[in-house]
Amino acid sequence: MKKLIIDVDTGVDDAMALLHCIGQSKAGTEVLAITCVNGNVGLDRVLRNTLRTLQYADKSNIPVYRGAVKPLIPWKTEGATHFHGNDGLGDAKWDTPDDISLIQSEHAVHALIRLVKEHPGEITLVTLAPLTNIALALQLDETFSSNLKEVMIMGGNIEGKGNVSLSAEFNFHVDPEAAAIVLQDLKCPVTMVTWETCIHSTISEEDYEKLLLIQTPRAEFFRKISDNRQHLISSKKKLNPGFRSCDWFAAMVLFDESLCLEYISAHASVELQGRFTRGQMVVDWLGRWSDMPNVKIAMRLDRARLLTTMRDFLSQE
Amino acid sequence: MKKLIIDVDTGVDDAMALLHCIGQSKAGTEVLAITCVNGNVGLDRVLRNTLRTLQYADKSNIPVYRGAVKPLIPWKTEGATHFHGNDGLGDAKWDTPDDISLIQSEHAVHALIRLVKEHPGEITLVTLAPLTNIALALQLDETFSSNLKEVMIMGGNIEGKGNVSLSAEFNFHVDPEAAAIVLQDLKCPVTMVTWETCIHSTISEEDYEKLLLIQTPRAEFFRKISDNRQHLISSKKKLNPGFRSCDWFAAMVLFDESLCLEYISAHASVELQGRFTRGQMVVDWLGRWSDMPNVKIAMRLDRARLLTTMRDFLSQE
Amino acid sequence: MKKLIIDVDTGVDDAMALLHCIGQSKAGTEVLAITCVNGNVGLDRVLRNTLRTLQYADKSNIPVYRGAVKPLIPWKTEGATHFHGNDGLGDAKWDTPDDISLIQSEHAVHALIRLVKEHPGEITLVTLAPLTNIALALQLDETFSSNLKEVMIMGGNIEGKGNVSLSAEFNFHVDPEAAAIVLQDLKCPVTMVTWETCIHSTISEEDYEKLLLIQTPRAEFFRKISDNRQHLISSKKKLNPGFRSCDWFAAMVLFDESLCLEYISAHASVELQGRFTRGQMVVDWLGRWSDMPNVKIAMRLDRARLLTTMRDFLSQE
Amino acid sequence: MKKLIIDVDTGVDDAMALLHCIGQSKAGTEVLAITCVNGNVGLDRVLRNTLRTLQYADKSNIPVYRGAVKPLIPWKTEGATHFHGNDGLGDAKWDTPDDISLIQSEHAVHALIRLVKEHPGEITLVTLAPLTNIALALQLDETFSSNLKEVMIMGGNIEGKGNVSLSAEFNFHVDPEAAAIVLQDLKCPVTMVTWETCIHSTISEEDYEKLLLIQTPRAEFFRKISDNRQHLISSKKKLNPGFRSCDWFAAMVLFDESLCLEYISAHASVELQGRFTRGQMVVDWLGRWSDMPNVKIAMRLDRARLLTTMRDFLSQE
Ligand SMILES: [Ca+2]
Ligand SMILES: [Ca+2]
Ligand SMILES: [Ca+2]
Ligand SMILES: [Ca+2]
């Protein structure tokens, strides 16, 4: 039984993660709020993609909040539209227009602060996006961190392998200062699913294609928003082989931590200065510089069970 | 049949690597010069340790050259005496004094330049130390790189895991600018055995101890210079478990490339700016930012065959 | 006629600047709020020093707000207590206790956002401290900047001369990221009084001592909070000679821009990366890299008139 | 009576500085060597421009050496051909071809080391270019610095004002690591004429034009190589007003230190890390971080006497 706030920059994998979290309601999970932030696409598209996903799931009653429009210290970051489509959600066609009147007037950061104050010790914060909103909440409210129950972060590195720059992961690279603030100031239990965690847990192209064949509305939605992927692959851009859905992977681990085969607790920081490494997460693996772990890192996931979980989820009507 | 110049900061593993290289003379390998550089210990100790190793091997006729006394841009780097002993060679007792008159008067950098000019296309350069000497040779002689046959480098990272700082390997961290110059300017084939290559190829403590039981003069020398290791382990410093001898590993791969189970060719650079990552090697694994590989990286070695090679080497009289 | 919000880290010069601003009420100036931030001393002392100053001025009705307790990305910064006294206000003895119940419950950043929204185009923001509060307001409210009338900033450099590090000014050095956000995002007219502006406008020790001889309650307050200065000078710490009161200077220029002999409009940025220069302001003097000035910089002040203004101010009963 | 080695990247102002130094031979000054380095233009053009200048002065017997073809760590630096002409020497027409056989075969760095060893305590090193050669000499020979009599450096900053980047001076910006090595390792007396020193000592356009009217062969040479300047000014590039000839100014100060109105001795370093400030010189003006001055900085020159010196020099037949 979890009370969730989910911070997103809805792209394809955020959308699947949202559905996955929402889909756990029978198990008593409640999504209190979805907070949006600039990331994969601009904030306005993130909001629309989030509303679109909730509409599909018939959960438009979950409040959606508008957060930060840009990183603390913006540098040029290669966008993620090549991956998620120009609209961030596969450039699919939809029958109904977005109802942007559903967006709350309260700022996402204020909603985060208020909700955590209202439910001290109860809220699980799930961050699937650049950490700007979370950094601002931490900066504005000293009690924010200690009132959280736990945090699941999709982001960061464990092997200095970049997906958006030579050595940094997208969510951290877009707002490295925010990531640094979050790693430094969060005092509750923090679990991380990093980029390399996902790389080490890649689904084969064959298994992925089988997922696309499932005939349920949910699988249909997945297929629709994933359509850009085929263009991407045929474009011959240099990509890691196989399929992974980082935000969805993180959501699955959140509800079943046994999906992760190995966790390591350690102290992690973010490089803010490097010419090549800005935004890279650095970890003190042996505890030589700090004996105070601040994160529990999911090192690699059980691919077979991950695949089963995805298949089961998509097969449910 | 190789003509070698070996650049060292003789420590324990450099000493074993030197012996290993010298020991290939029956196969036609010739060591033309050993060039010394500040690193594990100060330059004067490096020179003495090198002479000591040659004396043990009865090869004091190999010319030893004095190179750079400090890195291009010195920052404080944690020394390596905790690892190699205060004298860099296990603080062992020796019966004979060092004969420092054997050190050549020519500067190591000049010797490098001269020898490579004298043997164009023939020399294999083996670097087991901070790359100061090599960077200076590249800087002073534009033909240096193209006249080399090949280079084997022990150093750098493939996973952003540090041994001397959060994310950098010792040889690169001591002189990051030199490492950057070398990766950027070397135009001949370059093979690298990195820190994580060695970590992934660790010998178990049990297997290591069996090596110490071998009864030959060579094994006796190895035992003597490795004596500090036991102190280190019992000091409860936070260390990676198991045994690895990075320079020796690199030397073994040089003479038997099949000891490496996987090579990846890629473009590698060195971070010079980072607060945490200064000296870290960063690799463009997918060739997204550069399609011109400059190094061939040994990813992991065959531990069983590595152990056999070490055992065979130590068992030879 | 100005509506002011003053952002302070009350030390000695903030206190005098506050008095100076409050003292312009006859000319129709209204101080809507004082927002406090960590800086010269910790936030709690800043709040007390601000209350203390208002109490002395019999203006405890001006609302005081609690802002950021720490910079966005905290690095070790040499404190300013050697300059302002351990309590930040000269370690003077006061007859009455601080009434901390006067501190507003609303967060300073929210008050900034709310007040600027309530008075669009009317508010003059005066920043005499690290810019954390202002950066957070800009980050949380996209309309904040365009709704401001003008901003006066005490901070930054024009000649790369540091007072707290080799090349950075205190307010910028304490929170360089905040300063960078502010210079980048403020779109209203911005005037800056920098550290070197103050250095070039230094009052002689003799003239300063005459200020201390004035016999009014105001001068008595000034004398009391300035008492630490004598200890500082006799401590033989290496200091720039003469007297300057940076925040007070900025307040005087705000109300009489003719006190500044030369203004230059240019594009200014903040160095966030440097080893020696982190927090230094850098200016594109000739407009070679940007032809869009974002600040009007007061280059040097009229010392004689500055002194007269101070003397007149202290002499008023 | 001085024995000079002059390190140049001959552009227009290096050429005048060379003539000025050579012109002091009656006073007993001897130019032992001219060492060339990549800078204003590529090394080959630097060599030709140097030979050309010596040929004009009928001093082709002074040995010219080929030094470093590129900086230690090359970053993109805006060239200086807009200033010095495409050939670095005003794109003038010359009657005689360059005789490149006059270039010595010994490398400039070796010549520097050899000559300083041959004349211990006697040599004045004048550096008018990026400091690559000097850094290499210092790195290769520990005795180099202590055997020098004195060094005059044209380069660096005193006010964080850039001419080639936001805050760095050309010679330092082209090879910041070399500049850092030089400031750190030189142990003999060092005088610096910085970019801002020259800015503060600017000659008016009117006075400059009078220099061009002088009718001597020397003035004719000056006019010829300065011809590009008029194009530059009419190109409306954003430039500091007035005329300055940095290398020539440094040469004049070398032979008449009273031309400088104020010297300050302090500890200076070079920023290697900054995003905006890489290559900027930073000075500890009050000796707060170091009480060991490593340079004597010429703060501003006597313009009137500078102009007279130039006029007198150009008027001599
Ligand atoms: Ca996401
Ligand atoms: Ca070594
Ligand atoms: Ca202040
Ligand atoms: Ca020059």
Side-chain angles (χ1 to χ4, degrees):
Chain A
M1 232 187 76
K2 289 179 186 290
K3 281 190 189 359
L4 301 186
I5 302 178
I6 313 177
D7 193 67
V8 293
D9 61 335
T10 310
V12 174
D13 58 340
D14 304 73
M16 292 313 296
L18 283 176
L19 291 188
H20 200 91
C21 291
I22 292 167
Q24 312 302 315
S25 61
K26 283 170 202 158
T29 293
E30 190 185 352
V31 179
L32 297 187
I34 300 171
T35 53
C36 294
V37 69
N38 164 73
N40 287 320
V41 282
L43 181 56
D44 286 329
R45 285 255 40 109
V46 168
L47 286 158
R48 283 172 182 271
N49 293 346
T50 306
L51 293 175
R52 167 72 50 202
T53 305
L54 293 180
Q55 188 189 41
Y56 158 75
D58 205 13
K59 290 283 184 183
S60 296
N61 60 321
I62 298 176
V64 172
Y65 297 88
R66 194 173 197 276
V69 285
K70 61 186 170 66
L72 295 176
I73 306 291
W75 286 43
K76 270 172 232 139
T77 297
E78 181 187 317
T81 52
H82 67 283
F83 195 82
H84 296 277
N86 287 323
D87 73 351
L89 213 54
D91 296 325
K93 294 249 182 311
W94 307 99
D95 297 332
T96 52
D98 306 319
D99 181 1
I100 60 173
S101 75
L102 288 170
I103 301 165
Q104 305 292 313
S105 60
E106 190 183 17
H107 192 285
V109 172
H110 298 159
L112 279 161
I113 292 173
R114 177 180 53 77
L115 286 166
V116 170
K117 269 211 179 103
E118 288 172 9
H119 304 276
E122 291 188 88
I123 285 181
T124 297
L125 175 61
V126 184
T127 76
L128 309 174
L131 290 150
T132 322
N133 286 342
I134 317 307
L136 290 168
L138 285 163
Q139 203 69 24
L140 283 172
D141 179 7
E142 295 157 72
T143 69
F144 183 74
S145 166
S146 52
N147 278 340
L148 283 167
K149 181 181 168 199
E150 58 174 346
V151 178
M152 163 63 81
I153 294 173
M154 194 282 125
N157 304 100
I158 50 180
E159 296 177 6
K161 291 192 171 64
N163 55 8
V164 68
S165 72
L166 272 170
S167 72
E169 178 274 339
F170 183 82
N171 287 344
F172 274 41
H173 189 259
V174 169
D175 195 340
E177 277 74 16
I181 290 169
V182 165
L183 289 191
Q184 173 192 280
D185 286 356
L186 278 183
K187 300 303 174 202
C188 62
V190 177
T191 305
M192 299 191 76
V193 170
T194 74
W195 169 242
E196 291 96 335
T197 314
C198 296
I199 286 287
H200 292 323
S201 314
T202 292
I203 305 296
S204 75
E205 211 61 43
E206 296 68 39
D207 285 331
Y208 169 68
E209 274 163 24
K210 283 183 204 150
L211 294 179
L212 292 180
L213 298 176
I214 299 172
Q215 296 298 329
T216 60
R218 218 176 242 178
E220 165 64 15
F221 181 80
F222 175 54
R223 195 156 45 237
K224 214 164 157 181
I225 65 176
S226 302
D227 202 46
N228 181 65
R229 193 181 141 79
Q230 216 43 58
H231 299 290
L232 179 63
I233 287 173
S234 51
S235 77
K236 309 225 182 289
K237 265 201 100 147
K238 283 160 180 171
L239 299 166
N240 289 284
F243 172 77
R244 66 211 70 78
S245 179
C246 297
D247 294 343
W248 193 2
F249 284 12
M252 288 187 270
V253 172
L254 176 69
F255 290 104
D256 181 357
E257 62 179 35
S258 75
L259 283 174
C260 173
L261 298 171
E262 183 189 10
Y263 290 100
I264 295 184
S265 288
H267 188 88
S269 317
V270 182
E271 176 62 70
L272 301 178
Q273 310 287 94
R275 181 185 187 190
F276 300 122
T277 57
R278 180 168 157 79
Q280 180 188 323
M281 186 164 107
V282 285
V283 182
D284 182 7
W285 294 106
L286 297 181
R288 285 167 63 177
W289 290 274
S290 165
D291 48 11
M292 305 247 287
N294 59 350
V295 291
K296 190 174 91 175
I297 303 171
M299 300 298 288
R300 64 213 153 84
L301 311 183
D302 183 328
R303 287 181 211 199
R305 291 195 49 223
L306 206 60
L307 184 62
T308 310
T309 306
M310 294 165 81
R311 194 183 301 134
D312 290 352
F313 180 75
L314 291 176
S315 302
Q316 280 164 37
E317 303 275 337
Chain B
M1 234 186 73
K2 290 179 186 290
K3 283 192 188 356
L4 301 186
I5 302 177
I6 313 176
D7 192 67
V8 293
D9 60 334
T10 310
V12 174
D13 57 342
D14 303 72
M16 293 313 296
L18 283 175
L19 292 188
H20 199 92
C21 292
I22 292 167
Q24 311 304 314
S25 60
K26 283 168 204 159
T29 293
E30 188 186 354
V31 180
L32 298 187
I34 300 172
T35 53
C36 293
V37 68
N38 163 71
N40 287 319
V41 283
L43 181 57
D44 286 328
R45 286 257 35 111
V46 168
L47 286 158
R48 284 172 182 270
N49 294 347
T50 305
L51 293 175
R52 166 72 50 204
T53 304
L54 293 181
Q55 187 187 42
Y56 157 75
D58 205 12
K59 290 283 183 183
S60 297
N61 60 322
I62 298 176
V64 172
Y65 296 87
R66 194 173 196 275
V69 285
K70 61 185 170 67
L72 295 177
I73 307 291
W75 285 43
K76 271 171 230 139
T77 296
E78 181 188 316
T81 52
H82 66 284
F83 195 82
H84 296 277
N86 288 323
D87 73 351
L89 213 54
D91 296 325
K93 294 247 183 313
W94 307 99
D95 297 332
T96 51
D98 305 318
D99 180 1
I100 60 172
S101 75
L102 288 169
I103 300 165
Q104 305 293 313
S105 61
E106 190 183 17
H107 192 283
V109 172
H110 297 161
L112 279 160
I113 292 172
R114 177 180 52 77
L115 287 165
V116 170
K117 269 211 180 103
E118 290 171 7
H119 304 275
E122 292 188 87
I123 285 181
T124 297
L125 175 63
V126 184
T127 77
L128 309 174
L131 290 149
T132 321
N133 286 342
I134 316 307
L136 290 168
L138 284 163
Q139 203 69 26
L140 282 172
D141 179 8
E142 295 156 70
T143 69
F144 184 74
S145 165
S146 53
N147 278 340
L148 282 167
K149 180 181 171 199
E150 57 174 347
V151 178
M152 163 63 81
I153 295 173
M154 194 283 125
N157 303 100
I158 51 179
E159 298 178 4
K161 292 193 171 65
N163 55 7
V164 67
S165 72
L166 271 170
S167 71
E169 178 274 340
F170 183 81
N171 286 345
F172 274 41
H173 189 260
V174 168
D175 195 340
E177 278 74 18
I181 290 169
V182 165
L183 290 191
Q184 171 193 280
D185 286 356
L186 277 183
K187 300 303 175 202
C188 63
V190 177
T191 305
M192 299 192 75
V193 170
T194 74
W195 169 241
E196 292 96 336
T197 312
C198 296
I199 285 289
H200 292 322
S201 314
T202 293
I203 304 297
S204 74
E205 210 60 44
E206 295 68 38
D207 285 332
Y208 169 67
E209 274 164 23
K210 282 182 204 150
L211 294 178
L212 293 180
L213 299 177
I214 299 171
Q215 296 297 329
T216 60
R218 215 176 244 179
E220 166 63 15
F221 180 79
F222 176 53
R223 194 156 47 239
K224 213 164 160 182
I225 66 175
S226 301
D227 201 47
N228 182 64
R229 193 182 142 79
Q230 215 43 58
H231 299 291
L232 179 64
I233 288 173
S234 52
S235 77
K236 307 222 183 291
K237 264 202 102 147
K238 283 159 181 172
L239 298 167
N240 289 285
F243 171 76
R244 67 210 70 77
S245 179
C246 297
D247 293 344
W248 194 4
F249 284 12
M252 287 186 271
V253 172
L254 176 69
F255 291 103
D256 181 357
E257 63 178 34
S258 75
L259 283 174
C260 173
L261 299 171
E262 183 188 10
Y263 289 100
I264 294 185
S265 288
H267 188 89
S269 317
V270 182
E271 175 63 68
L272 300 177
Q273 310 287 94
R275 182 185 186 188
F276 300 123
T277 56
R278 182 170 155 78
Q280 180 188 322
M281 186 164 106
V282 286
V283 182
D284 183 8
W285 294 106
L286 298 180
R288 285 168 63 179
W289 290 273
S290 165
D291 49 9
M292 305 246 287
N294 58 349
V295 291
K296 190 174 92 173
I297 303 171
M299 299 299 289
R300 65 216 153 79
L301 312 182
D302 183 329
R303 289 181 211 201
R305 291 196 47 223
L306 207 61
L307 184 61
T308 310
T309 307
M310 295 164 80
R311 194 184 301 133
D312 290 353
F313 180 75
L314 292 176
S315 302
Q316 281 164 36
E317 301 276 336
Chain C
M1 235 187 72
K2 289 179 187 291
K3 283 192 188 358
L4 301 185
I5 302 178
I6 313 175
D7 193 67
V8 293
D9 61 334
T10 309
V12 174
D13 58 341
D14 303 73
M16 293 313 295
L18 283 176
L19 292 188
H20 199 92
C21 291
I22 291 167
Q24 311 303 314
S25 61
K26 283 168 203 158
T29 293
E30 189 186 352
V31 179
L32 298 187
I34 299 171
T35 52
C36 293
V37 69
N38 164 71
N40 286 320
V41 282
L43 182 57
D44 286 329
R45 284 257 37 110
V46 168
L47 285 158
R48 284 171 182 272
N49 293 347
T50 306
L51 294 175
R52 167 73 50 205
T53 305
L54 294 181
Q55 187 188 44
Y56 156 75
D58 206 13
K59 290 283 185 184
S60 296
N61 60 321
I62 297 177
V64 172
Y65 297 87
R66 192 172 198 276
V69 285
K70 61 186 171 64
L72 294 177
I73 305 291
W75 285 42
K76 271 172 231 140
T77 296
E78 182 188 317
T81 52
H82 67 283
F83 195 82
H84 296 276
N86 288 324
D87 74 350
L89 214 53
D91 296 326
K93 293 250 181 310
W94 307 99
D95 298 333
T96 52
D98 306 318
D99 181 0
I100 60 169
S101 75
L102 287 170
I103 300 164
Q104 304 293 312
S105 61
E106 191 183 16
H107 192 284
V109 173
H110 298 158
L112 278 161
I113 292 173
R114 176 180 53 77
L115 287 166
V116 170
K117 269 212 179 102
E118 288 172 8
H119 304 275
E122 291 187 87
I123 286 182
T124 298
L125 176 61
V126 184
T127 77
L128 308 174
L131 289 150
T132 323
N133 287 343
I134 317 306
L136 290 168
L138 284 164
Q139 202 70 25
L140 283 172
D141 179 9
E142 293 157 72
T143 69
F144 183 74
S145 166
S146 53
N147 278 340
L148 283 166
K149 182 182 170 199
E150 57 173 348
V151 178
M152 164 62 82
I153 295 173
M154 194 285 124
N157 303 98
I158 51 179
E159 297 177 5
K161 291 193 171 64
N163 55 7
V164 67
S165 71
L166 271 170
S167 73
E169 178 272 341
F170 183 82
N171 287 345
F172 274 42
H173 189 260
V174 168
D175 196 340
E177 276 75 16
I181 290 169
V182 165
L183 289 191
Q184 172 193 279
D185 285 356
L186 278 182
K187 301 302 175 202
C188 63
V190 177
T191 306
M192 299 192 76
V193 171
T194 73
W195 170 241
E196 291 95 336
T197 314
C198 297
I199 285 288
H200 292 322
S201 313
T202 292
I203 305 297
S204 75
E205 210 62 41
E206 296 68 40
D207 285 332
Y208 169 68
E209 273 163 24
K210 283 182 204 149
L211 294 178
L212 292 180
L213 298 177
I214 300 172
Q215 296 297 327
T216 61
R218 217 176 242 178
E220 165 63 16
F221 180 80
F222 176 54
R223 195 154 48 238
K224 213 164 159 180
I225 66 174
S226 303
D227 202 46
N228 182 64
R229 194 180 141 78
Q230 217 42 60
H231 299 291
L232 179 63
I233 288 172
S234 52
S235 78
K236 307 223 185 290
K237 262 201 99 139
K238 283 159 180 171
L239 298 166
N240 288 284
F243 171 76
R244 68 212 68 79
S245 178
C246 297
D247 294 343
W248 194 3
F249 284 13
M252 288 187 270
V253 172
L254 176 70
F255 291 103
D256 181 357
E257 62 179 36
S258 75
L259 283 173
C260 172
L261 298 171
E262 183 190 10
Y263 289 100
I264 295 185
S265 288
H267 188 89
S269 316
V270 182
E271 175 63 69
L272 301 178
Q273 309 288 94
R275 182 184 185 188
F276 300 123
T277 57
R278 181 169 154 81
Q280 180 186 324
M281 187 163 105
V282 286
V283 182
D284 182 8
W285 294 105
L286 297 181
R288 285 167 64 178
W289 290 273
S290 164
D291 48 10
M292 307 246 287
N294 58 351
V295 292
K296 191 175 91 173
I297 303 172
M299 299 299 289
R300 64 217 153 80
L301 312 182
D302 183 330
R303 288 180 212 202
R305 292 196 47 223
L306 206 61
L307 184 61
T308 311
T309 306
M310 294 164 80
R311 194 184 300 133
D312 291 353
F313 181 74
L314 291 176
S315 302
Q316 280 165 35
E317 302 274 337
Chain D
M1 235 187 71
K2 290 180 188 290
K3 282 192 188 358
L4 300 186
I5 301 176
I6 314 177
D7 192 67
V8 293
D9 60 337
T10 310
V12 174
D13 58 341
D14 304 71
M16 293 312 297
L18 284 175
L19 292 188
H20 200 93
C21 291
I22 292 167
Q24 311 303 314
S25 60
K26 284 167 204 160
T29 294
E30 188 186 353
V31 179
L32 298 187
I34 301 173
T35 53
C36 294
V37 69
N38 164 71
N40 287 320
V41 282
L43 181 56
D44 286 328
R45 285 260 33 114
V46 168
L47 285 158
R48 283 171 182 272
N49 294 345
T50 305
L51 294 175
R52 166 73 49 204
T53 305
L54 294 181
Q55 187 188 42
Y56 157 75
D58 206 13
K59 288 284 183 184
S60 297
N61 61 321
I62 299 177
V64 173
Y65 297 87
R66 194 173 196 274
V69 284
K70 60 184 171 66
L72 294 177
I73 306 290
W75 286 43
K76 272 170 228 141
T77 296
E78 182 186 318
T81 52
H82 67 283
F83 195 81
H84 296 277
N86 288 323
D87 73 350
L89 212 53
D91 297 326
K93 294 249 181 310
W94 307 97
D95 297 331
T96 51
D98 306 318
D99 180 2
I100 59 172
S101 75
L102 289 169
I103 300 164
Q104 304 292 313
S105 61
E106 190 183 17
H107 192 285
V109 172
H110 298 160
L112 279 160
I113 292 173
R114 177 179 53 79
L115 287 165
V116 170
K117 269 211 179 102
E118 289 172 8
H119 304 274
E122 291 188 87
I123 286 182
T124 297
L125 175 63
V126 184
T127 78
L128 308 174
L131 291 148
T132 322
N133 286 342
I134 317 307
L136 290 168
L138 284 163
Q139 204 69 27
L140 283 172
D141 179 7
E142 294 157 71
T143 69
F144 184 74
S145 166
S146 52
N147 278 341
L148 282 166
K149 180 181 170 200
E150 58 175 347
V151 178
M152 162 63 81
I153 295 174
M154 193 285 125
N157 304 100
I158 52 181
E159 297 178 5
K161 290 192 172 64
N163 55 7
V164 68
S165 71
L166 272 169
S167 72
E169 179 272 340
F170 184 82
N171 286 345
F172 274 42
H173 189 260
V174 168
D175 196 341
E177 278 73 17
I181 290 169
V182 165
L183 289 191
Q184 172 194 281
D185 285 356
L186 277 183
K187 301 302 174 203
C188 62
V190 177
T191 305
M192 297 192 77
V193 170
T194 73
W195 169 241
E196 293 97 334
T197 313
C198 296
I199 285 288
H200 293 322
S201 313
T202 293
I203 305 296
S204 75
E205 209 61 42
E206 295 69 38
D207 285 332
Y208 170 68
E209 274 163 24
K210 282 183 206 150
L211 294 179
L212 293 181
L213 298 177
I214 300 171
Q215 296 298 329
T216 60
R218 218 176 240 179
E220 166 64 14
F221 181 79
F222 176 53
R223 195 156 47 237
K224 213 165 159 181
I225 66 174
S226 301
D227 202 46
N228 181 64
R229 192 181 143 78
Q230 217 43 58
H231 299 291
L232 179 64
I233 288 174
S234 52
S235 77
K236 306 221 184 294
K237 264 202 102 149
K238 284 159 179 170
L239 299 166
N240 290 285
F243 171 76
R244 66 212 71 77
S245 179
C246 297
D247 294 343
W248 193 3
F249 284 13
M252 288 187 271
V253 172
L254 176 69
F255 290 103
D256 182 356
E257 63 178 34
S258 76
L259 283 173
C260 173
L261 299 171
E262 183 189 10
Y263 289 99
I264 295 185
S265 287
H267 189 90
S269 317
V270 182
E271 175 63 68
L272 300 178
Q273 311 286 92
R275 181 186 185 187
F276 301 122
T277 57
R278 179 168 158 80
Q280 181 187 322
M281 186 164 106
V282 287
V283 182
D284 182 8
W285 295 105
L286 298 180
R288 285 167 63 179
W289 289 274
S290 165
D291 48 10
M292 305 246 287
N294 58 350
V295 291
K296 189 174 91 173
I297 303 171
M299 298 299 288
R300 64 216 152 78
L301 312 182
D302 183 330
R303 288 181 212 200
R305 292 194 48 224
L306 206 60
L307 184 61
T308 310
T309 307
M310 293 164 81
R311 193 183 300 133
D312 291 353
F313 180 75
L314 292 176
S315 302
Q316 281 165 36
E317 302 275 337

